[in-house]
Amino acid sequence: MGSYDSRKTNTGTSRKRTNTVKWKRNRRPGGYSAIPQKRREVGAMSSIYDQAADKAKDQLDVISETMCYAKWTQVSMHMHNGMTHSCYHPPTHKIDVKELELNPSALHNTKEKKEQRAQMLAGERPEGCSYCWRIEDVGGRSDRVYRSGEYWAQNAREEIAEAGADGNINPRYVEVNFNQACNFKCSYCSPHLSTAWHKEIKEHGSYDIAQGEHNNLESLKNAGLMPLKLAQDENPYLTAFWKWWPELYRNLEVFRMTGGEPLMDSNTFKVLDYVYKNPNAWLEISITSNMCPPKPVLMDMFIESLQRLEEIQIWEDPDKFNPNSGNNWYVAPACKNFATFVSVDGYGSQAEYMRNGMDFSLLQTNIKRILTETDNSTITFINTFNALSLTSLRDYLQWILDLRDEFAKDRQGTKYIPIPDNGDHKHDDYEVRPKQRIWFDIPLLRAPLWQCIQIMPEYYQSYLEEAIAFMEMNQADEVNIDYRGFKDFEIDKVRRNLEWMKAGSSMDKDELLKARANFYKFFTQHDERRDTDFLSTFPEMEDWWNICKESEALL
């Protein structure tokens, strides 16, 4: 990394949060009651994120009421089994290997996606996009609109129009899963996405659930989900990816590596090395990690890679005009931003229970390492919101607030990095400006149904209601604009989850009984196999456990 000129470093002044909410425990499920202090006005400003969504909604409605730019501009690809989808909400489908021989972009531009694009242009609803349709049907704003409002989707509007339903297009937002290697056994995951899960099922067999089996290896194999039994250098999907990569990289704006656990795969570090050697000042790159790699050296290697990406380089890109310099020359880090998406669905021991294999203290340590050992990378917490996320949501939100306070903009200061002169050309010091470094998202878990919040009793909605009140009490506004608090779109996503939870009241009674019975059956076996204890980890959910136990007896 470049050295800093300490004489020019402005450390800023600290500022404590003053408008917070204190909470006390209640004994009933749902158990916090608010004691507000100086409640600040809510809804004082609309975020840029929401404004972009408003603009996108108007654009989409002109085309059709079901149009979504993400079907063209976003892709998730699974190299270990040859599956793909756009965006990540619809079910995956198989990539045709024969198409890849002539067209590696068929990793994204599949026959099925082109059919779905045609449906959207005609105002029809592709069945695979039900995640968004369900949210919109209860009055919410779905990711169809939010994703279409993202800058990378907006930048590709002309390409979308040119491609139409049948043409090929290089996506601007790419997620890739290189293999299933993972040291976690998250409760809602599967052997095709985790080697640890695969090992357990091979040792103990499938989970016994009502009217069937869960995570049966033969069923997953028949569905085409299990990894190919090939070495990586023989994998046709991985071969096509690296063949397509130089062309794809040219206009790529967001690249995200998922898993499995990406820190356990050599392709992750191959990508990071490529970006360092081929800088792209317009690129946002990220990984989705459990932050507990099995070997400490992997975290060391990762942080060293991030530090290299932050080194200031000088290069010319003949294809990309730089509005800051007025020509095609760049003085910048190798990428626009690096983000680490941290998968964690609750707080403390409850987070460890949901994601078996997690060491929550180690996770916290590694997050702090990234924030302190790199200058400008960001952390985004991903809470795959499920039934077990409810009771620790308040502690989870407080944790985010504490980190946002510790790493707030005014604590970072502006840093100046000296840039070597280029012949007679003198360079000013490069400014590393303060930025928002802590983010979070809270997507809904829909499967397996027994872990979905829609099957919970109505009084469990109070956890979400009280979390929303807490977020509103700590909302970022004109006074608190540096993200110490929560933005409107973050609060809206929790409200959306609440509305979706309420929609569960219309669930078929037999389906509800079966889902609750399966909750009891699955987690009973989970505890036996993994030496865990649901009731000692979630004592406040004893009533729920008994409801599920009774449901199992009634089947």
Side-chain angles (χ1 to χ4, degrees):
M1 296 177 62
S3 59
Y4 300 129
D5 185 346
S6 60
R7 294 170 298 174
K8 295 184 179 181
T9 301
N10 171 20
T11 58
T13 57
S14 63
R15 185 179 67 195
K16 295 292 185 181
R17 227 173 31 250
T18 56
N19 298 318
T20 59
V21 177
K22 293 182 179 179
W23 300 78
K24 66 179 181 180
R25 261 292 191 192
N26 289 334
R27 293 183 179 177
R28 64 173 179 82
Y32 288 100
S33 61
I35 308 172
Q37 296 177 320
K38 289 188 178 181
R39 183 182 180 93
R40 69 163 58 108
E41 293 298 318
V42 174
M45 72 173 183
S46 176
S47 68
I48 294 174
Y49 190 52
D50 260 1
Q51 292 171 25
D54 290 339
K55 178 182 176 182
K57 181 68 164 60
D58 292 338
Q59 295 171 355
L60 298 175
D61 287 347
V62 170
I63 302 169
S64 85
E65 62 181 8
T66 63
M67 180 63 180
C68 175
Y69 294 155
K71 192 63 69 179
W72 282 257
T73 60
Q74 182 176 357
V75 62
S76 295
M77 303 177 293
H78 303 272
M79 299 294 101
H80 66 294
N81 60 12
M83 306 294 277
T84 185
H85 49 169
S86 293
C87 55
Y88 51 77
H89 291 313
T92 57
H93 61 273
K94 198 72 175 179
I95 301 165
D96 188 340
V97 176
K98 292 183 180 180
E99 285 189 63
L100 293 178
E101 295 175 0
L102 298 175
N103 175 27
S105 83
L107 288 167
H108 168 52
N109 297 296
T110 63
K111 179 182 177 181
E112 182 168 327
K113 286 186 193 177
K114 290 178 178 179
E115 292 172 350
Q116 293 170 345
R117 292 170 187 171
Q119 285 182 280
M120 287 181 165
L121 291 172
E124 300 170 4
R125 286 183 165 190
E127 183 179 351
C129 301
S130 59
Y131 178 90
C132 287
W133 310 140
R134 290 174 183 173
I135 290 171
E136 292 179 15
D137 287 345
V138 296
R141 172 171 278 180
S142 74
D143 282 350
R144 177 180 74 90
V145 179
Y146 280 122
R147 291 281 165 175
S148 296
E150 294 276 10
Y151 69 90
W152 43 265
Q154 291 289 312
N155 290 345
R157 288 175 63 206
E158 290 184 8
E159 296 166 45
I160 293 171
E162 183 178 341
D166 299 323
N168 294 324
I169 184 172
N170 286 334
R172 300 293 187 99
Y173 186 114
V174 175
E175 292 187 5
V176 61
N177 172 6
F178 287 117
N179 77 40
Q180 68 164 154
C182 185
N183 55 327
F184 276 22
K185 295 181 286 187
C186 301
S187 55
Y188 48 80
C189 197
S190 168
H192 74 284
L193 294 171
S194 164
T195 47
W197 250 110
H198 194 177
K199 180 180 178 182
E200 178 185 301
I201 295 300
K202 287 178 71 175
E203 182 178 349
H204 297 286
S206 309
Y207 278 70
D208 175 40
I209 58 172
Q211 302 169 7
E213 295 180 329
H214 178 61
N215 278 343
N216 178 280
L217 293 180
E218 193 64 28
S219 297
L220 292 169
K221 180 182 178 181
N222 292 337
L225 294 176
M226 291 304 294
L228 302 173
K229 293 184 177 181
L230 294 171
Q232 286 203 351
D233 60 0
E234 298 175 342
N235 183 328
Y237 306 105
L238 194 56
T239 299
F241 171 82
W242 285 113
K243 182 179 179 180
W244 185 31
W245 175 246
E247 177 191 343
L248 176 64
Y249 186 74
R250 200 171 301 147
N251 290 313
L252 192 60
E253 297 191 68
V254 180
F255 185 73
R256 185 171 174 179
M257 292 171 281
T258 64
E261 171 49 51
L263 294 184
M264 295 172 64
D265 188 273
S266 61
N267 287 286
T268 299
F269 295 97
K270 183 176 178 179
V271 167
L272 298 180
D273 186 60
Y274 185 95
V275 174
Y276 175 72
K277 293 176 180 177
N278 300 271
N280 179 353
W282 302 94
L283 175 65
E284 294 193 46
I285 188 168
S286 64
I287 68 163
T288 301
S289 174
N290 62 39
M291 282 286 98
C292 296
K295 298 178 180 179
V297 67
L298 294 174
M299 183 57 62
D300 295 336
M301 290 170 56
F302 176 54
I303 291 176
E304 288 171 7
S305 295
L306 298 190
Q307 291 170 340
R308 290 181 74 207
L309 292 179
E310 290 186 342
E311 293 177 6
I312 307 305
Q313 301 188 45
I314 303 173
W315 76 94
E316 184 180 23
D317 188 336
D319 297 325
K320 293 179 182 176
F321 178 78
N322 182 358
N324 294 324
S325 65
N327 52 43
N328 292 80
W329 281 91
Y330 291 82
V331 179
C335 61
K336 178 181 176 182
N337 181 65
F338 191 98
T340 302
F341 287 79
V342 180
S343 300
V344 55
D345 308 325
Y347 189 82
S349 61
Q350 295 188 355
E352 293 176 339
Y353 186 94
M354 285 179 264
R355 291 184 171 271
N356 185 265
M358 174 187 288
D359 179 335
F360 192 74
S361 295
L362 178 61
L363 176 142
Q364 291 180 305
T365 296
N366 286 333
I367 288 169
K368 289 286 188 74
R369 280 195 66 188
I370 291 173
L371 291 169
T372 56
E373 295 180 34
T374 67
D375 297 319
N376 225 21
S377 62
T378 60
I379 296 288
T380 298
F381 294 101
I382 301 296
N383 184 331
T384 304
F385 200 70
N386 65 88
L388 303 188
S389 302
L390 285 162
T391 59
S392 66
L393 178 57
R394 163 63 183 82
D395 293 330
Y396 184 92
L397 294 172
Q398 184 63 61
W399 178 37
I400 290 171
L401 279 185
D402 291 342
L403 285 171
R404 283 182 168 176
D405 184 58
E406 182 176 355
F407 295 95
K409 285 184 179 181
D410 57 7
R411 296 189 189 278
Q412 296 171 38
T414 300
K415 297 178 180 178
Y416 297 85
I417 301 176
I419 305 300
D421 296 334
N422 185 10
D424 294 333
H425 185 79
K426 306 289 185 181
H427 290 288
D428 293 332
D429 290 352
Y430 185 87
E431 287 189 26
V432 180
R433 298 177 181 175
K435 66 189 295 186
Q436 167 59 28
R437 300 191 69 188
I438 309 295
W439 302 83
F440 89 100
D441 197 7
I442 191 163
L444 287 160
L445 179 98
R446 293 183 293 163
L449 184 60
W450 62 78
Q451 212 166 328
C452 170
I453 58 175
Q454 285 193 325
I455 72 166
M456 301 298 290
E458 182 179 350
Y459 53 81
Y460 273 86
Q461 295 169 14
S462 62
Y463 282 106
L464 279 169
E465 292 167 346
E466 292 157 0
I468 292 167
F470 175 74
M471 296 175 78
E472 289 175 344
M473 287 288 187
N474 292 278
Q475 183 169 0
D477 54 21
E478 288 87 345
V479 176
N480 194 22
I481 203 167
D482 64 353
Y483 277 85
R484 271 186 161 82
F486 300 101
K487 290 300 288 286
D488 54 356
F489 63 85
E490 294 175 327
I491 301 172
D492 284 345
K493 287 186 176 182
V494 180
R495 290 194 187 106
R496 174 200 67 184
N497 288 5
L498 175 59
E499 291 306 309
W500 195 72
M501 185 178 185
K502 290 178 178 178
S505 62
S506 61
M507 187 180 297
D508 177 81
K509 291 183 178 179
D510 291 338
E511 184 180 20
L512 179 63
L513 181 71
K514 179 181 174 181
R516 290 176 170 179
N518 279 336
F519 183 99
Y520 178 77
K521 290 176 73 69
F522 175 82
F523 284 106
T524 297
Q525 295 166 80
H526 175 287
D527 287 350
E528 291 173 353
R529 295 182 181 199
R530 302 180 181 182
D531 195 26
T532 52
D533 189 326
F534 180 86
L535 287 177
S536 67
T537 310
F538 299 88
E540 68 278 12
M541 298 185 77
E542 184 176 1
D543 69 309
W544 165 245
W545 183 258
N546 290 332
I547 288 171
C548 294
K549 185 176 182 180
E550 292 168 7
S551 298
E552 196 269 340
L554 291 172
L555 281 182

